[in-house]
Amino acid sequence: MRGAGSTAASLAAGAFLPRAAAAQSASSEQGPALAANNFWEVAVSADRRHLELSYQGREWLSSLRVGLKAAGDYEWSDGSPLSLEVVRAVRPGEMTIKVRGFRRGEIVVHAQQSKMTVALQDPRTTELKGVAIEVDAVVEGGADPLQCRLDEEFAGIAVQQMASGRAVSRLNDGIFDRFRDQALCVSARNARFAPSASGFHVSAGTLGTAAPICAFKVVEQVYGSRLEYYTPFDKARWPEPPVGWCSFHYYGNVLGENDILRNAEALARDYGDFGLKYVLIDGGWQAHGISGNWTETNASFPHGMKWLAERIRALGLKPAIWLSEFGTDDENFYNAHKEWFLHDAEGNAKLGTWFGTYILDFSNPEVKQYLHEIYRTIAVDWGYDYFKLDGENATRDIWGQNRARAYNPAQDADTAFRDALEIIRQSLDSRPGVFLSACGPVYPTESIGIVQSARLGGDIVSFSPSDPSSAHSEKLSFRSVRTALEGMRRGYYTHNLAWYADPDGVLLRPPLTEEEVRTWFSIAGLTGQLLMLGDNMPALSAARRDIARKVMPPLSDIRPTDLYPQSLTPNVWALHIERSFGTWAVVGLFNWDCEANEVADALSSPLQSIFNHDAALLGGSATGPAFWELAENAQKALDENRRLEALPHKPAGLELLPVPAYLAPLATRHIVLNFAKAGLDADSEYLLFDFWKQKYVGRLWGEYAVSLPPHACQVLSVRPARGRPQLVGTDRHITMGGVELGDERWDARSKRLSLTVELVANYPTTLTLFKAGSRFIGATSREANLKSEDGLETVTLRLDRPTTASVGAAIQFA
């Protein structure tokens, strides 16, 4: 930060210091008064040896210096006191500052609007040819900076990037400050970032030239330009993404309190020590339809929702509840409060669908008071800790369409909606720590700043209210994964920055293969989003239940570093992790291709259109399968075409569904992990470890390749080779150290590796160490049972203990 007594010059757009004032500034070295519409400001630090650059009054770069290197070490500009000289602006919107005091030339800082360049001018220009010139500075990215990439030309290309800690990727060129909603982008021939105490350190350089060494540009409204209500997410209040279970993904809207309790008992037993907290009772508990009147239960919940919450809490878990926020199916409630509901121009009040037949006019003060009271009752009196509110943007849209007949037509739909949602949030705050999740049903960005999480996409399971079993196992397919990916392309870039992203549930049950389940949970583990299981948990095999443990809890600080929506889903996903004891990447390689019996996503839209067209022509004779069945299974679509062809009386215009004429055989895809294209150092050597196979892959340079069948994945730990024994992988968590590793230290003198590991009660954890040519002597732990096995290139350690605790392990080499 700028110290007292620093000298400054203001770089303004359209309004500059008069020439006399500039001359006075140069001679007296007193900071000039800031002009209107200021952009950049340059200051000399209190020690007079560094530059500090601020944008619109807030510092972005500190401790800036310039260095030259012809042979040997760099010669830096901070070796002697510096002073500023303001140069008269030649063109509107620009200003140039010369920095004197560096014996190798003048540092020239030139600003134009939001862009600033730094150059070195030396009258002996020939001396700069072939000389390495570098700008070195600390980027002040606020309290929670994030290295990022803003260029959307990379959307869906090569790699999806995430970061934990102050991790860096060689692909990223900026630092994002989520509180300012600004990013500082760096352009240079070579630019390198590294974590620093106050943010990130940047070194940007080129070879000797009169052109700028580098350029800095501030991008404003990084999120605000896309999201009208962007507000920095309150991580201090909500430090962890929720982990839980949701009834909807197996039971749909047909369930009872015994179903909830059976699953809660299994969840407490299998996942209570792994961070799972919430048991979410989704639709199906209310009387008078799926969306009742917010408080009455149906016959399948005879003891009531307060009793059920108490039973869940007694298991050590937290009760969660689903509600249609502003809709109800209760006709009696509507008749008693008609003035509370919206009506169309003909007076019709039946404006909703699954989220409620009747839609509240949430601009009505009496409605707001009612909402405040019932949500407070459910939170405080019933004791629910998590609310999933559905139908948000759907009911807002209906309100907007009928605004002329609303209580307060002077409000626009978003304002009326946010005012009512804020009242609900305030009522939930009557109980500390109540979490509010928005389900739009899709991407309710008008809720940002009020809710703590939001759904990115549609439901991952398809079911029909007339077929209660249709959400169950036999109807599940990999299309559920594709639905989650579609939502992530739309909104994952908001995760942990505006709210916690909710990709809907993550499922374990057949007919998904275990390979497909690992793929789905790998997505969850690498992205760190809200995590909701959704199966009949007691019915699952032990092997499938254990897959979920491998991503629990989600690493709470994972954030996207590509700050824009994606157009495609890449085959390579790279999570860059930084800790005080080291950095590494966890890379997921995925084959998203369709298998033989799967309908490609590209065919879904035309298939839907033709299906609806045929159904309208056939009318009452339409006895074929539901659309979602055809969209998930090519064989069923082909069978439907045969049925249509065999109809004795075909109506004119009947069309066949657009599916392949034959089922293609399974094919593998060759997927390449190019280290440089994944943001890693192209010139470094890396140690690779396969998480799901628990296998050391090897020591590699440049790239790695694997062939995977459709729907399959490989998750790799990619660690820089340090030339001495080191950890390469674990079996506890997919981040292979992000959750379970507290420390890793090497003592070169004693040749001892020391590890600190978080163990879960009665859950053995295996660590794999690379020996780097050393000889393994033995391993000990005072706090845990430890077994070791020495291999050709690696050593494995198996640790366990009866209680959850942090333990140390010492590994001796020779």
Side-chain angles (χ1 to χ4, degrees):
M1 303 299 292
R2 184 184 311 155
S6 64
T7 63
S10 169
L11 281 67
F16 295 97
L17 296 173
R19 188 183 306 180
Q24 181 182 3
S25 170
S27 60
S28 65
E29 296 186 0
Q30 298 296 315
L34 296 177
N37 301 320
N38 285 295
F39 286 89
W40 287 99
E41 184 181 73
V42 180
V44 174
S45 60
D47 64 7
R48 299 180 57 78
R49 295 180 184 273
H50 299 94
L51 299 181
E52 294 168 345
L53 278 61
S54 298
Y55 183 80
Q56 295 183 334
R58 301 187 66 177
E59 189 170 58
W60 258 115
L61 292 155
S62 65
S63 302
L64 188 147
R65 60 181 185 164
V66 175
L68 285 85
K69 180 182 180 182
D73 295 333
Y74 271 93
E75 180 180 352
W76 292 99
S77 61
D78 57 357
S80 58
L82 304 175
S83 62
L84 302 181
E85 176 185 344
V86 179
V87 178
R88 181 172 65 87
V90 177
R91 291 174 291 185
E94 298 185 27
M95 182 173 282
T96 301
I97 303 294
K98 286 189 176 181
V99 184
R100 301 191 184 279
F102 185 27
R103 75 179 190 89
R104 296 299 303 269
E106 295 176 336
I107 302 170
V108 179
V109 182
H110 178 81
Q112 182 180 17
Q113 303 293 337
S114 63
K115 183 178 181 180
M116 173 173 284
T117 60
V118 180
L120 185 67
Q121 288 186 354
D122 189 333
R124 303 159 295 174
T125 54
T126 57
E127 294 189 14
L128 295 180
K129 292 182 178 179
V131 175
I133 311 175
E134 190 164 286
V135 171
D136 189 82
V138 172
V139 182
E140 304 287 352
D144 191 20
L146 173 68
Q147 196 210 24
C148 66
R149 179 167 67 174
L150 301 183
D151 194 340
E152 290 188 59
E153 71 174 273
F154 298 107
I157 298 176
V159 62
Q160 168 110 22
Q161 295 190 103
M162 294 73 63
S164 170
R166 291 186 179 175
V168 298
S169 163
R170 296 298 296 271
L171 301 179
N172 298 336
D173 62 356
I175 302 296
F176 177 59
D177 182 342
R178 66 189 182 94
F179 299 102
R180 283 187 261 187
D181 195 19
Q182 292 180 352
L184 181 79
C185 295
V186 182
S187 298
R189 180 172 179 175
N190 295 298
R192 301 180 307 281
F193 291 87
S196 73
S198 60
F200 287 87
H201 177 271
V202 64
S203 298
T206 186
L207 292 177
T209 174
I213 307 167
C214 65
F216 302 104
K217 182 179 180 180
V218 172
V219 178
E220 300 187 67
Q221 297 287 299
V222 174
Y223 279 79
S225 61
R226 288 190 174 93
L227 305 170
E228 182 178 357
Y229 301 104
Y230 170 74
T231 306
F233 184 50
D234 189 350
K235 286 283 290 182
R237 186 177 180 188
W238 313 103
E240 299 175 347
V243 183
W245 172 86
C246 176
S247 63
F248 178 79
H249 303 116
Y250 184 82
Y251 294 98
N253 297 314
V254 182
L255 73 166
E257 63 185 29
N258 290 333
D259 298 313
I260 299 297
L261 290 176
R262 283 191 310 102
N263 278 278
E265 290 166 359
L267 292 164
R269 179 194 67 224
D270 293 335
Y271 303 110
D273 291 333
F274 291 82
L276 186 143
K277 296 180 179 179
Y278 297 101
V279 177
L280 173 55
I281 307 156
D282 210 288
W285 64 268
Q286 295 179 78
H288 312 292
I290 297 172
S291 302
N293 61 15
W294 298 278
T295 58
E296 292 185 63
T297 58
N298 61 44
S300 296
F301 293 81
H303 292 91
M305 301 306 285
K306 180 177 181 179
W307 174 88
L308 188 53
E310 291 170 350
R311 292 290 302 274
I312 292 170
R313 198 175 300 282
L315 293 168
L317 302 173
K318 295 184 177 184
I321 196 166
W322 175 94
L323 287 160
S324 179
E325 192 168 9
F326 301 122
T328 181
D329 293 319
D330 188 348
E331 188 171 1
N332 292 332
F333 187 85
Y334 163 74
N335 287 331
H337 305 282
K338 288 185 178 181
E339 70 281 5
W340 286 8
F341 290 88
L342 295 169
H343 298 80
D344 64 19
E346 285 73 39
N348 174 42
K350 296 183 178 181
L351 305 177
T353 57
W354 58 267
F355 47 82
T357 305
Y358 307 98
I359 307 302
L360 286 170
D361 175 4
F362 39 74
S363 69
N364 187 320
E366 291 184 7
V367 170
K368 293 178 182 179
Q369 181 61 36
Y370 175 76
L371 291 171
H372 184 276
E373 291 172 357
I374 61 169
Y375 280 98
R376 187 184 186 282
T377 295
I378 298 171
V380 177
D381 297 344
W382 293 7
Y384 281 82
D385 292 299
Y386 181 114
F387 285 69
K388 175 184 174 182
L389 301 187
D390 213 338
E392 291 207 343
N393 41 24
T395 52
R396 178 214 53 191
D397 292 345
I398 291 173
W399 191 95
Q401 294 160 8
N402 296 278
R403 170 181 170 185
R405 292 165 297 283
Y407 181 91
N408 185 0
Q411 287 187 308
D412 62 79
D414 279 356
T415 301
F417 169 82
R418 287 178 63 85
D419 284 352
L421 185 60
E422 186 63 54
I423 286 173
I424 293 174
R425 177 67 263 181
Q426 291 170 9
S427 70
L428 300 184
D429 285 339
S430 301
R431 178 184 176 87
V434 174
F435 193 92
L436 178 54
S437 182
C439 188
V442 176
Y443 203 40
T445 58
E446 63 279 356
S447 302
I448 288 177
I450 303 174
V451 303
Q452 286 70 64
S453 71
R455 276 278 291 279
L456 303 182
D459 291 339
I460 57 159
V461 291
S462 302
F463 79 101
S464 168
S466 62
D467 179 8
S469 70
S470 63
H472 294 190
S473 303
E474 67 273 13
K475 307 300 182 182
L476 187 62
S477 77
F478 198 75
R479 183 163 293 276
S480 296
V481 181
R482 299 195 188 281
T483 298
L485 291 171
E486 179 185 5
M488 290 179 61
R489 290 195 296 271
R490 177 188 298 113
Y492 177 66
Y493 78 100
T494 64
H495 173 63
N496 234 334
L497 295 166
W499 50 27
Y500 289 125
D502 176 6
D504 208 7
V506 188
L507 307 183
L508 292 158
R509 64 184 182 264
L512 292 176
T513 66
E514 288 194 18
E515 184 68 68
E516 291 172 329
V517 170
R518 283 191 288 269
T519 292
W520 203 345
F521 276 81
S522 295
I523 298 167
L526 292 174
T527 57
Q529 301 172 90
L530 180 150
L531 179 63
M532 283 285 172
L533 305 182
D535 295 289
N536 180 11
M537 303 309 294
L540 293 172
S541 69
R544 288 183 182 250
R545 292 200 306 272
D546 195 48
I547 291 174
R549 296 189 186 104
K550 302 302 183 182
V551 303
M552 289 185 184
L555 199 51
S556 62
D557 68 340
I558 293 178
R559 294 180 290 183
T561 64
D562 299 328
L563 304 188
Y564 43 79
Q566 297 283 344
S567 58
L568 298 170
T569 300
N571 294 107
V572 179
W573 296 37
L575 167 59
H576 299 274
I577 301 176
E578 179 268 339
R579 296 292 183 267
S580 61
F581 51 83
T583 62
W584 69 97
V586 181
V587 178
L589 306 177
F590 298 91
N591 182 354
W592 303 121
D593 291 347
C594 291
E595 65 174 5
N597 201 32
E598 185 178 2
V599 177
D601 283 345
L603 294 175
S604 291
S605 180
L607 191 147
Q608 172 92 68
S609 176
I610 293 173
F611 177 86
N612 292 339
H613 169 76
D614 288 351
L617 290 176
L618 292 170
S621 62
T623 58
F627 166 74
W628 59 267
E629 293 183 89
L630 304 178
E632 292 179 355
N633 190 298
Q635 183 60 59
K636 289 188 176 182
L638 289 172
D639 290 344
E640 174 64 4
N641 279 346
R642 295 187 184 101
R643 187 187 75 86
L644 295 175
E645 287 182 322
L647 288 175
H649 304 290
K650 297 184 185 67
L654 192 68
E655 297 181 53
L656 296 180
L657 301 173
V659 293
Y662 60 92
L663 301 181
L666 291 173
T668 61
R669 176 179 287 271
H670 190 70
I671 298 175
V672 176
L673 167 60
N674 181 286
F675 296 152
K677 292 181 179 179
L680 301 167
D681 189 348
D683 299 322
S684 294
E685 178 185 42
Y686 291 95
L687 305 176
L688 275 60
F689 184 85
D690 187 319
F691 176 71
W692 292 115
K693 291 183 178 179
Q694 284 296 293
K695 179 182 178 181
Y696 172 64
V697 175
R699 181 170 55 181
L700 299 172
W701 295 264
E703 65 181 32
Y704 164 80
V706 64
S707 292
L708 296 172
H711 305 177
C713 75
Q714 184 179 39
V715 176
L716 300 166
S717 165
V718 183
R719 282 174 153 86
R722 299 174 181 175
R724 46 84 168 172
Q726 65 182 95
L727 181 79
V728 292
T730 83
D731 70 346
R732 163 62 190 93
H733 195 272
I734 197 169
T735 57
M736 288 175 274
V739 167
E740 70 275 35
L741 189 62
D743 198 10
E744 179 182 1
R745 296 181 184 274
W746 171 252
D747 187 326
R749 185 174 182 180
S750 64
K751 294 188 176 180
R752 176 175 295 177
L753 183 66
S754 299
L755 302 174
T756 302
V757 185
E758 301 291 330
L759 293 183
V760 177
N762 298 312
Y763 190 76
T765 293
T766 300
L767 313 176
T768 301
L769 313 177
F770 179 66
K771 295 193 295 184
S774 298
R775 182 166 57 91
F776 173 65
I777 301 298
T780 60
S781 174
R782 295 179 179 178
E783 303 94 353
N785 302 315
L786 188 154
K787 294 181 180 179
S788 62
E789 183 176 342
D790 190 10
L792 183 63
E793 294 184 274
T794 61
V795 174
T796 57
L797 308 178
R798 184 180 185 272
L799 297 95
D800 68 273
R801 57 173 285 136
T803 58
T804 297
S806 176
V807 306
I811 305 94
Q812 187 66 53
F813 292 90

